[in-house]
Amino acid sequence: GHATAGLTVGDVTRANNDTQDRGRVFDQSPEPNTELEEGDPVDLSVSLGKQQTTVPNVVGLDLNEASRLLSENNLKVGESRPVNSDADRNTATRITPEPGTQVAVGSSVGIRYASGQNKVPDVTGKSEAEATTALQDAGFEVSTQQRETTDPAGVGTVVDQTPTGSARLGATVVIFIGTAPATPSTSPPATPTPSD
């Protein structure tokens, strides 16, 4: 056969191909090793890489609906995690990658969804630092105030908090840190309870 050096490239078709990286030739016509006349064109198919798809915006949808929309777009649901949110239970609140991102078909999309619980952790008895961390982790702002306490065990720890129970995500929870009374207490000392 002739050396392929004298051949001209005919049509170059660019198409998505799952097995060949972008820029690789994954098909040619005629097939390699066909007897060709000098100057006969060879058509090449060049890979554009894996087919891309756009991540749909499923934020605000129910989890089932979100999963359905992702699979319609040839995407898989990746890690799903419940998070504290004002949204109704099981509503997608955030996805990664962000909506509108171009990703390869078959990629995984992680979903954060509303747990339906905005429970305020009970932090009474904890140190200010522990209480602040626990409340911030649960999605709340923290405001600290001092409150005198006659209970020596309460000094330096959270003696009260408001609100308790549940609250809107991002709400401020006020914690009251016990301080020793400024003046000697006139009440008789409490009988110490044996600690276990």
Side-chain angles (χ1 to χ4, degrees), residues 70-187:
L70 289 173
S71 24
E72 274 176 16
N73 285 269
N74 299 317
L75 294 168
K76 292 201 282 281
V77 176
E79 183 207 12
S80 304
R81 274 228 318 253
V83 291
N84 289 319
S85 164
D86 293 339
D88 291 339
R89 185 179 163 81
N90 290 343
T91 303
T93 57
R94 187 164 155 245
I95 59 170
T96 40
E98 298 283 320
T101 311
Q102 289 284 317
V103 295
V105 162
S107 299
S108 291
V109 176
I111 301 182
R112 299 277 173 280
Y113 61 91
S115 64
Q117 297 293 310
N118 292 324
K119 195 165 159 11
V120 179
D122 178 1
V123 293
T124 49
K126 291 186 183 297
S127 71
E128 183 180 348
E130 284 176 330
T132 303
T133 304
L135 290 165
Q136 286 174 342
D137 283 353
F140 300 102
E141 302 290 319
V142 181
S143 165
T144 307
Q145 294 186 19
Q146 308 291 314
R147 179 179 285 181
E148 284 193 6
T149 174
T150 52
D151 175 8
V155 175
T157 67
V158 179
V159 291
D160 196 8
Q161 69 181 72
T162 178
T164 56
S166 61
R168 212 181 109 81
L169 195 71
T172 299
V173 176
V174 182
I175 56 175
F176 298 92
I177 305 297
T179 58
T183 51
S185 139
T186 50
S187 60

Side-chain angles (χ1 to χ4, degrees), residues 2-63:
H2 294 286
T4 44
L7 298 175
T8 55
V9 172
D11 295 331
V12 174
T13 313
R14 292 181 181 277
N16 294 116
N17 182 280
D18 287 348
T19 52
Q20 291 295 335
D21 290 338
R22 193 187 174 91
R24 286 279 180 76
V25 173
F26 64 89
D27 196 11
Q28 67 178 63
S29 165
E31 292 295 311
N33 306 323
T34 310
E35 286 292 324
L36 292 177
E37 294 304 313
E38 186 126 356
D40 277 0
V42 176
D43 295 339
L44 299 178
S45 298
V46 178
S47 175
L48 291 174
K50 280 196 185 227
Q51 194 176 340
Q52 299 287 301
T53 186
T54 304
V55 176
N57 188 2
V58 298
V59 173
L61 297 181
D62 175 77
L63 210 49

